[in-house]
Amino acid sequence: MADATLEIRPGEVTVDAPPAEGPALTFIGHCQTPWKTTRECPRRGDLEGPLCQVVVDDVWARALQGIEENGYLQILYWMHRARRDLVLQNPKHKGAIIGTFAIRSPNRPNPIASSVVKLEKVEGNVLHVRGLDCLDGTPVVDIKPDKCPHA
Amino acid sequence: MADATLEIRPGEVTVDAPPAEGPALTFIGHCQTPWKTTRECPRRGDLEGPLCQVVVDDVWARALQGIEENGYLQILYWMHRARRDLVLQNPKHKGAIIGTFAIRSPNRPNPIASSVVKLEKVEGNVLHVRGLDCLDGTPVVDIKPDKCPHA
């Protein structure tokens, strides 16, 4: 799934990573967003941003029971266009070389993003939310009530 | 990896889930905690709790560069003892039947936990943190700077 042909910037370092031999994920749904290219995606989600949808596959729909009690949700999703072998990165907004685990770049050994979203409405197996920052069609890995310890 | 033999409580519902056919995870390290059985684990991490370690595998050690600038980190880890087929659950602390995505139970289609921890010290490829709630030896999936929008 990872696209290791993505361009590397000056100062960036990759490793000869071992093959991914952990458990396989099962995608439970997908995101509907206004963004069709990575260039259009906001760098970070905005809780007052555009209304987006998390569409849950039918087999998991019953797992949404009671979710409407939550004002905020945590969504985990898979950034399928990312590289998985970068250890040092040169992000434009930093202006310095920095380790992959010290930034929230999509490029990481397991390209799983975590976003907190505001839940506006539940319609059947569709969650209407604000705060996503991902491409339209991005596969979803998990949905949880938000329990940020700072909230 | 999932343990589908774990006991089901009254009112809980499983589905005939499709096989996990998404991308494979690569474990990047493991947690060292005082808890050797699930019964001993706290139900939720405590930022003032016992000092624990996140030990990063050598191949990924350079990806920690600059991480000491962060007071709080988000750790994603794999709850390898969980069931992946539950859609309705009967958690003891709720006293009611509730959907898997409406609680933070370990039992979920992709048993990935997300904890915010306080970073106390970095020593080589070892992070000393407070706030974990998992079994000793739990495999780690990702480490990110914490960016809770409520912080």
Side-chain angles (χ1 to χ4, degrees):
Chain A
M1 300 288 287
D3 184 357
T5 63
L6 282 179
E7 190 188 350
I8 293 184
R9 299 199 182 100
E12 294 194 329
V13 172
T14 63
V15 291
D16 191 10
E21 291 180 336
L25 296 174
T26 189
F27 292 145
I28 57 137
H30 67 278
C31 298
Q32 290 177 345
T33 76
W35 307 296
K36 308 294 184 192
T37 66
T38 50
R39 194 177 297 259
E40 292 168 63
C41 292
R43 195 162 74 73
R44 191 170 157 191
D46 176 355
L47 294 175
E48 308 301 323
L51 202 59
C52 298
Q53 287 75 41
V54 176
V55 181
V56 173
D57 293 346
D58 287 345
V59 64
W60 301 113
R62 294 183 76 183
L64 295 173
Q65 185 172 310
I67 202 157
E68 66 281 358
E69 301 297 317
N70 298 281
Y72 295 90
L73 299 174
Q74 181 182 9
I75 312 290
L76 302 184
Y77 50 89
W78 185 260
M79 296 173 287
H80 55 292
R81 306 242 185 126
R83 289 188 73 109
R84 301 181 68 172
D85 59 354
L86 274 175
V87 286
L88 292 180
Q89 303 193 33
N90 186 3
K92 284 179 198 151
H93 67 281
K94 281 271 183 191
I97 306 298
I98 190 161
T100 291
F101 298 140
I103 50 174
R104 291 179 69 94
S105 154
N107 301 303
R108 44 208 320 114
N110 296 294
I112 296 172
S114 165
S115 285
V116 173
V117 299
K118 189 198 275 187
L119 178 59
E120 297 280 11
K121 191 169 57 169
V122 182
E123 283 185 318
N125 64 333
V126 180
L127 308 177
H128 297 267
V129 303
R130 297 184 197 275
L132 286 176
D133 58 8
C134 62
L135 283 172
D136 187 43
T138 296
V140 176
V141 170
D142 202 7
I143 302 167
K144 306 176 193 283
D146 177 40
K147 295 283 176 197
C148 166
H150 307 299
Chain B
M1 300 287 287
D3 183 357
T5 63
L6 282 179
E7 191 188 350
I8 294 185
R9 299 199 183 99
E12 294 194 330
V13 171
T14 62
V15 292
D16 191 12
E21 292 182 334
L25 295 173
T26 189
F27 292 145
I28 57 137
H30 67 278
C31 298
Q32 290 177 345
T33 76
W35 306 296
K36 308 293 185 193
T37 65
T38 50
R39 194 177 296 260
E40 292 170 63
C41 292
R43 196 163 72 76
R44 190 169 159 193
D46 176 355
L47 294 175
E48 308 301 324
L51 203 59
C52 298
Q53 287 75 41
V54 176
V55 181
V56 174
D57 292 345
D58 287 345
V59 63
W60 301 113
R62 293 183 76 183
L64 294 173
Q65 185 172 309
I67 202 157
E68 66 281 357
E69 300 298 318
N70 298 280
Y72 296 90
L73 299 174
Q74 182 183 8
I75 312 290
L76 302 184
Y77 49 91
W78 184 259
M79 296 171 288
H80 54 292
R81 305 242 186 126
R83 289 188 72 109
R84 302 180 68 173
D85 59 354
L86 274 175
V87 287
L88 291 180
Q89 302 193 34
N90 185 3
K92 284 180 199 150
H93 67 282
K94 282 270 183 193
I97 305 298
I98 190 163
T100 291
F101 298 141
I103 50 174
R104 291 177 70 94
S105 155
N107 301 303
R108 43 208 321 113
N110 296 293
I112 297 172
S114 165
S115 284
V116 172
V117 299
K118 189 198 272 186
L119 178 60
E120 297 281 9
K121 191 168 57 169
V122 182
E123 282 185 317
N125 63 333
V126 180
L127 308 178
H128 297 267
V129 303
R130 296 186 198 273
L132 286 177
D133 57 9
C134 60
L135 282 172
D136 188 43
T138 296
V140 176
V141 170
D142 201 7
I143 302 166
K144 309 175 191 281
D146 176 40
K147 294 284 177 200
C148 165
H150 308 298

